[in-house]
Amino acid sequence: MDNGCTTCHSGVAIGGQLMQKLGLYGEYSKFTNSQKVDMGLYERTKKEGDQFLFKVANLRNIEKTYPYFHDGSVASLKETIKIMGKLQVNKDISDADANDIEAFLKTLTADVKYK
């Protein structure tokens, strides 16, 4: 909570309910080294205000859904945490905090049961 994650990642699924701009404090592709820059919802609507809007990730089972970001450009959960801190809240998340956040996120992992 101290790092601002709950601004977007909230609710039962801890996210997945909002569309938000990826890269409030920088171009995401420069942080993720994405090969192709995806313009997000803009690709469909062509509305300027929809540039870089993406669905906020659901954090349940996030440990199992790598690689991360909409384009699979980052393999490490810890690196993803640090990138999101910088891109979304302009905060350099320390290694210690990133380790703690990663440990918390791993507690959200469960076996998927099919009926």
Side-chain angles (χ1 to χ4, degrees):
M1 291 190 301
D2 294 341
N3 289 298
C5 306
T6 57
T7 301
C8 300
H9 296 282
S10 59
V12 174
I14 311 175
Q17 302 170 66
L18 304 170
M19 297 283 287
Q20 292 288 353
K21 180 177 180 180
L22 178 59
L24 295 174
Y25 292 95
E27 293 179 40
Y28 83 85
S29 60
K30 291 183 179 176
F31 288 80
T32 63
N33 295 315
S34 297
Q35 298 299 311
K36 178 183 179 283
V37 176
D38 185 335
M39 299 290 287
L41 186 60
Y42 174 82
E43 300 280 342
R44 287 188 160 187
T45 67
K46 303 301 182 204
K47 294 179 183 174
E48 293 297 314
D50 290 346
Q51 289 184 15
F52 305 109
L53 281 181
F54 294 94
K55 183 178 176 188
V56 173
N58 168 342
L59 297 181
R60 297 231 179 249
N61 289 322
I62 195 73
E63 174 186 21
K64 304 289 187 186
T65 60
Y66 58 89
Y68 300 104
F69 292 99
H70 60 280
D71 59 3
S73 57
V74 179
S76 160
L77 182 54
K78 182 177 176 181
E79 185 62 22
T80 299
I81 292 163
K82 293 179 80 110
I83 290 170
M84 287 301 291
K86 194 62 179 172
L87 281 177
Q88 298 308 107
V89 294
N90 200 27
K91 183 172 184 179
D92 292 315
I93 295 178
S94 69
D95 284 336
D97 277 355
N99 288 336
D100 288 347
I101 294 167
E102 182 178 29
F104 166 72
L105 292 175
K106 288 181 177 181
T107 69
L108 302 175
T109 302
D111 291 331
V112 177
K113 305 228 190 270
Y114 297 97
K115 292 184 180 190

